[in-house]
Amino acid sequence: MIQDLLKHQIAAAIKHLYQIDLLDHQIVIENTKPEFEGDFTYVVFSILKQSKKSPEQTAQEIGEYLKINFSHLADFNVIKGFLNISLSKQFWFEFLNNTYANKDYGFVFTHSGQKILVEYSSPNTNKPLHLGHIRNNLLGYSVAQILKANGHQVNTCNLVNDRGIHICKSMYAWMQFGNGETPESAGLKGDHLVGKYYVAFDKKYKQEIAALVANGMPAEEAEKKAPAIIAAQQLLLKWEANDKETVDNWKLMNGWVYDGFAVTYKKLGVQFDKYYYESNTYILGKDIVQQGLATETFFKKEDGSVWIDLTNDGLDQKLLLRGDGTSVYITQDIGTAELKYKDFDCERSVYVVGNEQDYHFKVLQLICKRMHKPYAEGIYHLSYGMVELPHGRMKSREGTVVDADDLIDEMIATATATTIELGKANGIPEGELNHLYETIGMGALKYYLLKVDPKKKMMFNPEESIDFQGNTGPFIQYTHARIKSILRNTGEIDFTQFDFNQTNLSKPERALLFTIYQYPQAIFDAGKDMSPGVICNYAYDLAKAFNHFYHECSVLKEENLEQRNFRIQLVNLTAHIIKSSFGLLGIEVPEKM
RNA sequence: GGUCUCUUAGCUCAGCUGGAUAGAGCAACGGUUUUCUAAACCGUAGGUCGAAGGUUCGAGUCCUUCAGGGACCA
C-alpha cells in the first residue's frame, strides 16, 4: 500500500529534519477530508515538542522533504498542523492499469495459516425462525466470507438445540390435541406446525395456572404443579431414558422442523459445513465434567451437583451438572467445544450468539482455560445485539415476533410492487423477473440488517417498510446495473495499446479511484472487527462516488478515446468491486433493474 | 445485591488506534431528465454528541461520578 511507503518517507523526513527516531507504524496517515485538497494527511502535532517549531513550519518542512524524496507526491499543502499530500496522476493511472482486470482485487490469497470455525444460526427446534435469527444467520454467513477474504481457512457449523424441556412442550401439546396432524395435512411448513403446538402448550399451561391460582394456590407453586408442565417434564425423562415412543415422536417432529429450516436457509442463502446436535454432545459434556471433578478443577456440593468456583476471576460459582445428574446448557457447550476442536483442528472458534449470553461465554472460556484445553484461548464470542421492536424485544410466547418467512415474503412482494411501479420490469425477460424480485427484496433486507454494527442492538419497526432508496441494498444494486448498462455498449477494447498518462483526472474520477483504492483496507478492517457493517459502509461510499461521477462525466459520449477508455476501466472495476463486496455480504447484484 | 452494556439531528444509523467546521439515509422543503437507467444527482433546514467533572496542544472518542434504557448472574 502506498500509505506504507509514505509512512516510511515521513519517518525518514522526521529523522533527517529533527533527529527523532520513529518507527513507520508510529506514523499515522489519514485520508484527507473531502473539503480539503489532497489524498492523504499527516498530522504533525505529536512531534512539535521535538521539532521545536510551529505546526505550520514543521508541516511545511516535512512536505518539502517529501517533494524531493517521495516520487509519487505531486503536491502538498499545509493548513495549521495538517500536511495534506496529493499523489501524482501517474500513480493513480498505474494503479488502475494494474488492477482493473484483477478478479480477486482486495482479497488476500496468501494463507494466513489460521483455521477458523464459525458457528452460527444454532436454532431451537420447537419454533420457527424469526427476525433475530435472520440477523444471526446473515452475520454468521458474512463474517465467514470476510474471514476467508482475509486469507483464513474458514469452516462453518450449526449447533442445533434439539433437546430439552422446550421440545417436550411442543411434543406434549401435539400428542394431546394434534390428532396426528402433519405438515402435509395442515398445509403448514414443518417448523411452523411445531411452533403452533408450542404456543398451544403455553396457552394451556397458562390456563391451568390460572385455574390453580383461582383455587387459592400461590402463583409460584401453581407454575410448578400445573399438569402440563409436569407432563412435559415426564416426557423429558422418558426421552433421556430412551423410551421408544417418545424418541420416535421427537424424531418425527424434529424432522418436520429441519425440513422447514432448510427452506428458510435456502432463501437466506446460508449453508453449513457441519451440523452438531446437542442431543449428541451433551453426554460428552458430562464426561468432561467428570474429568474436571477428578482433577479437582470442579467440586461437588452435598446434593451431588457439580460446580466451578470462578470468584477469583470476578464471577460467581457456576453450576455444571444438576444433583440428579442431568445436564445444563453449559454442559453441552463444553462437549461441543471439544468435538469442534477434534473435527476441525481450529485455533479460533467463533460463536455468533446474542449478547444476552455474554456471561455464559465468559464462563465457558474460563472453564476451558481451567481445564487447560488447547482451544480455550481461541474461543471468541461474536456477541451481537438484539433486534428490538418499538414496544421492546421479541418474545415468541407473547406473539410479538416478526416471523422470518413472513418477512422474507413481504420483502419480495414489496420489491415486486416497486419494480413494476417504476416501470423497470418492462425491458426484462419474463423468466428472469422472479429472480430479480428476490434479488432486490433480499438485498434490501440483508443490507438493512448487516449495515448496523453487530455489537449494537438495532431497532426494527414493522409498521415502516424497509427502504429501497438512499443507503440501502437496492441503491447499490441499482448502481451496479447502471454500470453494466454502460458496459454492454462499449464493444471490445484492447486496453494495452493506450497510454492513459495523456488523459485528465477530474475530481469525480479521482474521488472514485480513491475509493476503489480503499477496498483492501475495508476488507481488512471488516475482518479485524468481524463486522460486515464495514463492508456495507464501504460499498455505499463507492456507489455514491460512482453516482456522482456518473452525473458529471459521460463514458460513452466522451470523444477523447483515451479518456473514454480510462473511464471504461474505471467503471468496470467499480462494478466488479460492488459485486465482490456484496458477495461478502451474501447479496446478489443484478445486471439490469 | 453483583457484573456487563448502551445513550450522536424528528426517525434509523456512520464516525478507524484522540485531530481540521461531528457525517449519511429517511422524513420536510426547493431544484435537475431531447444526452450512458431519476431506485439517481444537487441544494436548504435540522446537533450543548444523555449530564457534570477530569486527563492534554486537542475529547463524540480516554478516565471518574451521576441519570436514563437494556441484558445477564445469584
Side-chain angles (χ1 to χ4, degrees):
Chain A
M1 295 271 276
I2 192 73
Q3 289 98 314
D4 296 325
L5 296 176
L6 186 53
K7 284 180 190 177
H8 190 67
Q9 284 300 325
I10 290 174
I14 291 169
K15 168 111 176 113
H16 174 81
L17 293 165
Y18 315 116
Q19 291 76 49
I20 309 168
D21 282 306
L22 285 176
L23 298 172
D24 290 2
H25 73 262
Q26 293 175 296
I27 310 280
V28 178
I29 304 287
E30 298 163 39
N31 297 346
T32 305
K33 305 219 170 202
E35 57 266 38
F36 300 97
E37 186 74 33
D39 296 312
F40 298 106
T41 296
Y42 176 62
V43 186
V44 302
F45 290 112
S46 58
I47 59 161
L48 290 184
K49 273 186 187 148
Q50 286 108 319
S51 80
K52 299 197 175 76
K53 291 186 176 155
S54 71
E56 291 83 355
Q57 201 176 352
T58 307
Q60 184 70 26
E61 286 176 355
I62 296 171
E64 278 161 14
Y65 178 97
L66 291 176
K67 192 148 192 179
I68 297 165
N69 294 286
F70 188 57
S71 60
H72 297 297
L73 182 141
D75 206 355
F76 71 92
N77 65 81
V78 174
I79 298 169
K80 292 192 271 180
F82 297 85
L83 171 61
N84 298 322
I85 295 152
S86 299
L87 299 182
S88 67
K89 228 166 68 173
Q90 284 71 22
F91 169 80
W92 290 115
F93 286 130
E94 273 167 34
F95 161 68
L96 180 62
N97 247 309
N98 295 334
T99 311
Y100 84 93
N102 179 1
K103 293 285 169 241
D104 301 313
Y105 171 59
F107 286 49
V108 176
F109 276 88
T110 45
H111 188 344
S112 67
Q114 212 179 132
K115 288 187 197 166
I116 305 179
L117 180 65
V118 179
E119 176 200 304
Y120 68 99
S121 200
S122 305
N124 291 345
T125 58
N126 63 322
K127 52 178 187 268
L129 305 175
H130 58 64
L131 179 55
H133 295 109
I134 300 184
R135 188 179 196 195
N136 178 306
N137 280 281
L138 298 179
L139 275 175
Y141 177 86
S142 181
V143 164
Q145 302 311 310
I146 290 166
L147 291 173
K148 275 183 208 168
N150 276 281
H152 305 303
Q153 184 183 323
V154 180
N155 286 105
T156 56
C157 69
N158 184 355
L159 172 63
V160 183
N161 185 4
D162 61 344
R163 67 178 286 280
I165 189 74
H166 48 282
I167 319 292
C168 296
K169 291 177 180 174
S170 298
M171 212 170 11
Y172 168 74
W174 180 75
M175 290 160 76
Q176 278 295 303
F177 17 85
N179 295 320
E181 193 173 38
T182 66
E184 291 75 32
S185 72
L188 268 181
K189 247 173 115 245
D191 49 338
H192 285 90
L193 180 71
V194 173
K196 183 177 120 182
Y197 285 102
Y198 186 66
V199 173
F201 173 89
D202 202 59
K203 198 175 155 198
K204 177 153 171 61
Y205 178 41
K206 284 207 172 114
Q207 282 170 355
E208 288 175 357
I209 293 172
L212 290 172
V213 171
N215 283 334
M217 190 185 281
E220 209 170 302
E221 194 184 345
E223 281 171 20
K224 286 178 186 156
K225 295 216 166 143
I229 195 70
I230 289 174
Q233 279 161 353
Q234 273 168 353
L235 270 184
L236 182 60
L237 286 174
K238 277 182 167 180
W239 182 88
E240 294 217 5
N242 221 1
D243 172 69
K244 186 166 185 314
E245 195 202 344
T246 309
V247 170
D248 284 349
N249 279 335
W250 173 79
K251 281 184 182 162
L252 180 70
M253 293 184 77
N254 270 346
W256 294 340
V257 172
Y258 297 145
D259 291 344
F261 284 173
V263 172
T264 310
Y265 285 152
K266 188 153 187 272
K267 284 195 235 167
L268 289 172
V270 301
Q271 56 232 315
F272 311 94
D273 296 319
K274 190 173 174 80
Y275 280 80
Y276 290 101
Y277 299 91
E278 290 191 353
S279 57
N280 289 331
T281 60
Y282 80 104
I283 295 180
L284 176 60
K286 285 189 190 181
D287 290 347
I288 296 172
V289 171
Q290 291 304 333
Q291 290 164 24
L293 202 51
T295 57
E296 294 185 355
T297 312
F298 310 142
F299 67 94
K300 208 172 222 173
K301 287 197 177 172
E302 287 163 4
D303 63 353
S305 57
V306 181
W307 296 71
I308 184 168
D309 185 357
L310 298 171
T311 46
N312 286 343
D313 290 286
L315 306 179
D316 307 298
Q317 295 189 344
K318 179 81 189 171
L319 176 71
L320 301 180
L321 216 51
R322 292 199 192 94
D324 61 4
T326 59
S327 58
V328 291
Y329 266 114
I330 201 138
T331 324
Q332 36 212 8
D333 279 325
I334 293 168
T336 312
E338 182 88 7
L339 259 187
K340 285 177 172 179
Y341 183 67
K342 279 189 183 144
D343 289 344
F344 290 97
D345 186 31
C346 45
E347 43 273 82
R348 275 212 282 172
S349 183
V350 177
Y351 293 76
V352 183
V353 177
N355 63 9
E356 56 197 350
Q357 307 232 28
D358 284 354
Y359 186 84
H360 176 86
F361 277 98
K362 247 186 230 173
V363 171
L364 178 66
Q365 186 165 38
L366 277 173
I367 290 171
C368 293
K369 277 186 189 167
R370 293 277 182 92
M371 295 200 71
H372 306 292
K373 294 294 185 187
Y375 48 82
E377 285 297 337
I379 289 175
Y380 179 79
H381 176 203
L382 177 49
S383 163
Y384 67 90
M386 299 288 102
V387 182
E388 287 180 7
L389 304 176
H391 300 293
R393 52 185 305 205
M394 283 184 272
K395 288 179 182 145
S396 307
R397 273 177 273 176
E398 293 173 21
T400 55
V401 285
V402 176
D403 179 74
D405 296 310
D406 290 349
L407 182 58
I408 289 169
D409 291 347
E410 199 179 300
M411 290 305 298
I412 295 172
T414 309
T416 306
T418 309
T419 305
I420 292 169
E421 200 178 298
L422 291 172
K424 304 266 184 180
N426 298 337
I428 295 168
E430 196 66 30
E432 294 172 19
L433 279 174
N434 279 338
H435 183 242
L436 177 65
Y437 299 149
E438 212 170 289
T439 301
I440 297 171
M442 291 308 290
L445 177 61
K446 290 183 179 185
Y447 188 88
Y448 178 82
L449 289 171
L450 287 174
K451 76 174 171 185
V452 181
D453 183 342
K455 292 191 286 294
K456 295 193 178 172
K457 68 176 181 204
M458 64 181 293
M459 173 67 77
F460 176 79
N461 187 349
E463 303 299 313
E464 299 167 10
S465 54
I466 293 175
D467 277 318
F468 285 64
Q469 284 167 8
N471 187 358
T472 67
F475 165 67
I476 297 166
Q477 290 173 322
Y478 173 72
T479 305
H480 180 265
R482 268 183 149 181
I483 298 173
K484 285 297 176 175
S485 169
I486 297 172
L487 294 175
R488 277 192 292 274
N489 294 304
T490 56
E492 284 294 310
I493 297 152
D494 178 11
F495 289 108
T496 53
Q497 49 183 296
F498 294 101
D499 175 12
F500 293 143
N501 285 323
Q502 301 308 311
T503 62
N504 283 320
L505 187 58
S506 66
K507 247 193 150 148
E509 291 168 317
R510 196 184 178 96
L512 181 54
L513 204 40
F514 187 79
T515 310
I516 288 172
Y517 190 74
Q518 307 299 318
Y519 186 41
Q521 185 67 42
I523 291 181
F524 177 80
D525 291 343
K528 187 171 54 99
D529 295 341
M530 296 198 201
S531 173
V534 172
I535 300 294
C536 291
N537 289 337
Y538 174 78
Y540 179 57
D541 284 343
L542 182 65
K544 263 201 304 190
F546 170 81
N547 279 312
H548 182 69
F549 159 85
Y550 182 87
H551 192 258
E552 301 286 318
C553 312
S554 178
V555 177
L556 298 175
K557 301 252 155 55
E558 172 60 43
E559 288 173 3
N560 178 335
L561 200 58
E562 290 185 347
Q563 191 79 34
R564 183 178 189 267
N565 285 325
F566 160 71
R567 286 179 183 167
I568 290 170
Q569 279 195 350
L570 187 63
V571 302
N572 191 15
L573 185 55
T574 304
H576 172 256
I577 297 175
I578 289 176
K579 186 172 186 169
S580 161
S581 58
F582 263 38
L584 295 176
L585 304 172
I587 304 177
E588 287 186 72
V589 288
E591 299 286 313
K592 297 178 186 172
M593 73 180 268

